[in-house]
Amino acid sequence: MVRFKNRYVLCELLSDDPRCRHCIEDRAVGLAVRDAIGRVHGDYGLACCSISFTVKYLNAYTGTVLLRCRKDSYRLLCSALPFVRFLESRAQRYPCALNTLHVGGTIRTCQKFLIQYNRRQLVMLLQNCTNEEERQCIQKSLLSCSLTEEQSQSGDEEDDDGTE
């Protein structure tokens, strides 16, 4: 049995219209990306990318999208992402763009990158704060985004099961 290697492309959905983020679905993102691949690379590129292409994760609130494709064709996918100009959802077109943040071999590496990326964004927001209330809110968010805190919480839950 042969194992097919995949690549995971972490993207950020950028749009001026805040309604766009709440109305997007993974199906709409997948169709828009496939359409862009077809326009840029033709039938050959579309066939190469469509073999195992899926939208693995979509967070409508943060605009984070995780796409999976075969290792052989991830460059075709990444080169077509800037050509996504709109999303069609519920019979409406929303202008948007996909910004590639990271390409990884596993979902876990993409998650680690996303945590570090969000931490850097929060630090930048912290530097641009205007009052003390905003600063405290951002500091609280900054302290709460770490993998070690999540791991220690899951370890505490295992101890509470009474398996001592």
Side-chain angles (χ1 to χ4, degrees):
M1 187 104 168
V2 177
R3 185 178 136 219
F4 294 107
K5 293 188 178 184
N6 295 313
R7 288 290 177 253
Y8 296 90
V9 181
L10 183 65
C11 301
E12 180 180 29
L13 184 70
L14 305 172
S15 72
D16 294 332
D17 189 7
R19 293 177 297 164
C20 173
R21 286 191 174 177
H22 299 292
C23 296
I24 59 173
E25 301 169 345
D26 51 350
R27 182 178 170 269
V29 173
L31 289 174
V33 171
R34 280 191 179 105
D35 182 52
I37 293 169
R39 281 185 283 131
V40 174
H41 298 293
D43 291 337
Y44 174 75
L46 185 60
C48 287
C49 290
S50 292
I51 293 173
S52 70
F53 174 77
T54 56
V55 178
K56 293 298 284 183
Y57 175 73
L58 172 69
N59 190 335
Y61 296 105
T62 61
T64 305
V65 180
L66 186 66
L67 307 171
R68 182 189 75 185
C69 68
R70 295 277 294 269
K71 182 180 176 181
D72 301 337
S73 59
Y74 81 93
R75 287 189 181 103
L76 294 173
L77 173 68
C78 290
S79 65
L81 288 178
F83 294 97
V84 175
R85 294 290 175 211
F86 61 88
L87 291 177
E88 274 190 51
S89 181
R90 300 179 184 149
Q92 291 187 359
R93 280 186 156 185
Y94 298 103
C96 69
L98 286 174
N99 181 23
T100 303
L101 298 176
H102 180 72
V103 177
T106 63
I107 294 175
R108 178 122 173 106
T109 59
C110 292
Q111 288 173 336
K112 287 180 182 180
F113 174 83
L114 189 59
I115 290 170
Q116 293 300 318
Y117 177 77
N118 287 336
R119 183 174 283 162
R120 285 192 303 266
Q121 295 297 322
L122 286 172
V123 168
M124 287 176 33
L125 284 174
L126 187 63
Q127 293 172 353
N128 298 332
C129 285
T130 57
N131 60 22
E132 190 60 33
E133 183 180 334
E134 285 180 2
R135 183 176 295 279
Q136 288 177 354
C137 183
I138 292 174
Q139 283 177 341
K140 183 179 176 183
S141 297
L142 188 62
L143 292 174
S144 69
C145 65
S146 70
L147 279 177
T148 56
E149 182 178 313
E150 292 175 11
Q151 290 172 350
S152 66
Q153 287 176 355
S154 65
D156 293 342
E157 291 172 1
E158 291 173 1
D159 293 340
D160 293 341
D161 292 340
T163 57
E164 295 180 22

